Amino acid sequence: MLDVQNLCKSIDKKPFFTELTFQVAAGQSLILLGKNGTGKTLLLNTLATLVEPTSGTVHIGGIDAFSNLKQVRPQIGYIPVDFEGYPELSAVDYLNFFAAAYRLEKQERTAAIDATLELMDIQHLRNIRIGSLSTGERQRLLFAKTFLHEPQLWLLDEPLTVLDPLGQIEMIELLGELQTMGKTLVIATNRIEDVHKLCDLESSSSQKDNLIGILKDGQFAVLNTFTQLQKIIKDTNNSEELQSNWLIEHYMEVTKT
């Protein structure tokens, strides 16, 4: 569903990523891991068509994204790490604004908004100003807004970081449901402990084996399925079992200078 070929991006002659090539299928997730400054958010912005690459191509659903912006943007849902703007709007007014922007027919909007509020379990917030919502509540509202136009490609920047433990559990369940629906997910995180949770989405909700991509110096130091990476580590260590900290050790090994 997502096909990226030889993607490069430089800003002020500084390369942030170079020659990135990868594919993510429908119903599959790519988990991007890397320290601050490795270009994870910039890559998400590029996939969202908010930033034009220096070179390379992005195809979404078989369509060249940057040559067909109007056609591909309805297929994209982007959940940034920070919620910005609209503090004076109520949750329902915010959703109504975006429902109109997504060109939902007026008679469809009320039903769509009610459905997304229920899906995200925030019906009780419908008349509350965004500026008064907690961080977790604002993130739920972002998801509700994104569900309105039913995108195929979901781009998520640190979706678990701002949530409390219960919220993280509920978010994992939601992301698993998206995969069950055949959605394609690209998820950026700084936290190794989140990678296990996110890569295990397929174990209960999808037949797809999720991908892990570890970024270093603008390229993938690792790009493989989570299952295959585990097998490689077992074979390398000639062991039947993985140590509990195997991913931390592997991350440190492949990213060291």
Side-chain angles (χ1 to χ4, degrees), residues 54-253:
T54 303
S55 61
T57 60
V58 176
H59 283 78
I60 298 172
I63 301 169
D64 187 321
F66 288 92
S67 298
N68 302 275
L69 292 176
K70 289 184 178 180
Q71 193 171 354
V72 300
R73 280 181 170 166
Q75 298 187 54
I76 300 169
Y78 185 27
I79 309 292
V81 68
D82 294 318
F83 190 110
E84 297 180 355
Y86 312 105
E88 299 303 319
L89 284 183
S90 68
V92 70
D93 287 341
Y94 172 80
L95 293 177
N96 193 59
F97 171 80
F98 278 97
Y102 294 143
R103 298 185 179 179
L104 271 68
E105 295 294 334
K106 186 172 292 188
Q107 59 268 28
E108 296 176 327
R109 291 179 200 166
T110 299
I113 290 169
D114 288 345
T116 56
L117 287 170
E118 182 176 0
L119 178 67
M120 297 309 303
D121 194 24
I122 53 173
Q123 306 97 313
H124 59 292
L125 302 177
R126 62 182 300 126
N127 295 317
I128 305 298
R129 290 190 308 109
I130 291 173
S132 300
L133 300 179
S134 70
T135 301
E137 290 169 341
R138 289 198 300 271
Q139 189 180 55
R140 286 175 178 273
L141 183 59
L142 271 176
F143 267 83
K145 180 267 292 185
T146 305
F147 266 107
L148 285 173
H149 71 291
E150 299 183 359
Q152 178 60 36
L153 174 62
W154 286 67
L155 308 170
L156 304 105
D157 200 353
E158 299 283 355
L160 303 182
T161 300
V162 301
L163 299 176
D164 60 26
L166 178 58
Q168 291 183 34
I169 293 169
E170 293 172 342
M171 183 59 63
I172 291 294
E173 293 175 351
L174 176 60
L175 296 176
E177 286 301 314
L178 288 174
Q179 285 198 193
T180 300
M181 295 163 64
K183 307 299 185 182
T184 301
L185 282 62
V186 181
I187 307 172
T189 183
N190 287 334
R191 307 196 312 176
I192 291 178
E193 63 267 29
D194 288 349
V195 174
H196 291 275
K197 304 171 190 175
L198 295 168
C199 283
D200 281 343
L201 290 174
E202 84 280 356
S203 63
S204 60
S205 60
S206 171
Q207 299 303 309
K208 300 292 184 183
D209 192 356
N210 289 330
L211 297 159
I212 177 171
I214 299 177
L215 287 166
K216 178 192 176 186
D217 298 331
Q219 296 182 318
F220 283 118
V222 170
L223 180 61
N224 214 326
T225 67
F226 195 60
T227 300
Q228 185 62 28
L229 183 58
Q230 290 176 313
K231 182 178 185 303
I232 290 170
I233 301 301
K234 286 180 182 179
D235 291 346
T236 300
N237 296 329
N238 195 25
S239 172
E240 292 294 325
E241 298 293 332
L242 288 168
Q243 297 295 321
S244 59
N245 65 339
W246 70 269
L247 184 55
I248 295 174
E249 291 189 350
H250 190 60
Y251 176 84
M252 297 297 293
E253 176 67 25

